[in-house]
Amino acid sequence: NNFRPERFDNEAIKRQHRYAYLPFGFGARGCIGARYAITEMQWLMVMVLQRFSLKLEKDEEVASEMKNLSLQPKSKLKLFVESRG
């Protein structure tokens, strides 16, 4: 398998079958480690954000819109990662 992030853009998601991406399975035979894996990823994000700052390009304003019950930017953002230490 190859890592292809374009598989997860909005247009590609609309074209695929609704059960095409189930990383932990589903139902009675779903992965018993799913909750652990999700919690582990959340901790990883916390650790990364404690060590690095995410900054927008200078003077860039963020316009947002409501999608899928969450606020998302209307256009792509350019983020810079800076070490905190």
Side-chain angles (χ1 to χ4, degrees):
N1 291 332
N2 295 329
F3 176 66
R4 294 180 309 163
E6 66 273 5
R7 290 186 289 184
F8 301 100
D9 69 9
N10 289 336
E11 293 304 314
I13 289 172
K14 288 177 188 173
R15 289 191 305 266
Q16 73 185 11
H17 188 272
R18 66 187 278 191
Y19 297 117
Y21 181 70
L22 292 172
F24 298 111
F26 187 72
R29 296 176 191 239
C31 176
I32 61 172
R35 283 188 178 170
Y36 175 77
I38 291 170
T39 303
E40 191 75 18
M41 287 189 292
Q42 290 170 338
W43 275 109
L44 176 69
M45 285 302 300
V46 167
M47 290 169 51
V48 167
L49 292 173
Q50 285 177 342
R51 290 174 174 81
F52 298 95
S53 294
L54 302 176
K55 305 225 175 184
L56 289 172
E57 195 167 8
K58 249 187 184 168
D59 302 327
E60 184 174 12
E61 291 188 26
V62 180
S64 60
E65 62 184 342
M66 194 69 145
K67 282 187 182 177
N68 299 327
L69 299 176
S70 67
L71 282 176
Q72 297 180 6
K74 284 187 177 182
S75 60
K76 293 184 178 181
L77 301 173
K78 191 180 271 190
L79 283 176
F80 296 94
V81 180
E82 295 177 355
S83 176
R84 290 181 185 250

